[in-house]
Amino acid sequence: GYLNIGPSADYVFHITYAGTVVILYFDTATTPLIRISRSSGMQNVTIYLTTGRHLMRLYFRDRKSVV
């Protein structure tokens, strides 16, 4: 989906996971901002986003099926 950003700034994304694979992309990037394939934990990542609309693609799956 799309994320509408007000002021241009650094934004922090926090992901908590347990037994999953998580991949997060922004806009047309082919390299993920976050790629996790561990059993559990949490990860914070900061990205500078400009004012306006940004495509955010979040993919995840548990160890048994794709969601």
Side-chain angles (χ1 to χ4, degrees), residues 14-45:
H14 174 85
I15 294 182
T16 302
Y17 52 93
T20 60
V21 174
V22 178
I23 304 171
L24 176 64
Y25 294 94
F26 269 91
D27 297 318
T28 59
T30 57
T31 302
L33 181 65
I34 295 176
R35 182 180 188 98
I36 301 167
S37 59
R38 297 181 208 121
S39 58
S40 65
M42 66 181 117
Q43 183 173 346
N44 296 315
V45 68

Side-chain angles (χ1 to χ4, degrees), residues 1-5 13 26 49 52-56:
Y2 287 94
L3 182 64
N4 287 314
I5 297 297
F13 291 86
F26 269 91
L49 294 172
R53 190 169 87 158
H54 294 271
L55 176 61
M56 183 173 77

